[in-house]
Amino acid sequence: MNIVTLLPFIVLIGAMFLMTRSAKRKQQAASQMRNDMQPGTGVRTIGGMYATVKEVNEETVLLDAGPGVELLFAKNSIGAVLTDDEYNRLVHGIEHDLKSDESLVPDDASSITETDEPSDDAPAASDDKPIDLGKKDAADETADETEAAEVKAEEEPKKTDGESDAK
């Protein structure tokens, strides 16, 4: 046999070997993660539920999902073991990663205005001109249409008897 005819089979077998090897590594890492669970750590199940580990047995895990709610899950149903900071951030909304206590997003628009001081004429500034949002009353629309027709009639030169519309 020629090596050229065996080359596709060799490449196929090599690809299958690499894929199964990486899958085995992922399975081993997940198994190790599940075996390292201890009571008090936060977990996420494969169904997306966040809970705290209460008790770890050989094949099962007892989870505390809330006050008075204890659930028994198989170890294989644990999707991720979370760090304390990550669990508190996701479940309780507590952020520990921020460098300072300042809020990143202001609660109001005062930080993006021109001055930080309140102006004495603030009510006067709001009375400048009404903003046209394109909505008009029926009476306003007819008045605007007649004004536009009058302006258009004034702009067009008057035609004499000899001129025709079509040239």
Side-chain angles (χ1 to χ4, degrees):
M1 277 196 165
N2 193 356
I3 188 120
V4 176
T5 57
L6 292 178
L7 188 61
F9 293 113
I10 294 171
V11 170
L12 185 63
I13 290 171
M16 287 180 9
F17 173 74
L18 291 175
M19 288 189 312
T20 57
R21 189 171 144 200
S22 68
K24 281 183 184 179
R25 268 197 218 146
K26 287 180 184 179
Q27 284 178 344
Q28 287 175 349
S31 176
Q32 183 66 30
M33 171 202 60
R34 290 180 185 119
N35 289 333
D36 290 343
M37 277 189 301
Q38 295 181 4
T41 59
V43 295
R44 182 184 70 234
T45 66
I46 58 174
M49 184 183 73
Y50 293 94
T52 305
V53 176
K54 190 167 185 178
E55 184 181 313
V56 180
N57 298 320
E58 192 167 322
E59 294 293 321
T60 60
V61 179
L62 185 64
L63 300 178
D64 182 19
V69 180
E70 294 178 355
L71 304 168
L72 186 64
F73 276 84
K75 266 190 178 180
N76 291 339
S77 65
I78 303 300
V81 176
L82 308 171
T83 64
D84 289 338
D85 289 340
E86 186 177 11
Y87 181 78
N88 286 332
R89 180 180 60 83
L90 291 169
V91 175
H92 303 295
I94 301 170
E95 295 281 341
H96 289 288
D97 297 335
L98 297 177
K99 302 287 187 230
S100 66
D101 290 337
E102 294 180 20
S103 64
L104 297 176
V105 179
D107 291 338
D108 58 0
S110 64
S111 64
I112 57 174
T113 57
E114 294 176 11
T115 61
D116 290 337
E117 302 171 359
S119 174
D120 291 336
D121 60 343
S126 65
D127 295 334
D128 289 343
K129 278 189 174 180
I131 298 173
D132 182 21
L133 298 176
K135 296 182 179 179
K136 298 181 181 180
D137 293 337
D140 290 342
E141 286 180 17
T142 56
D144 288 343
E145 288 174 5
T146 55
E147 288 177 16
E150 290 174 3
V151 170
K152 187 175 179 182
E154 291 176 4
E155 290 177 0
E156 291 181 10
K158 295 189 178 183
K159 298 178 183 169
T160 58
D161 291 337
E163 293 179 354
S164 64
D165 289 339
K167 290 187 178 182

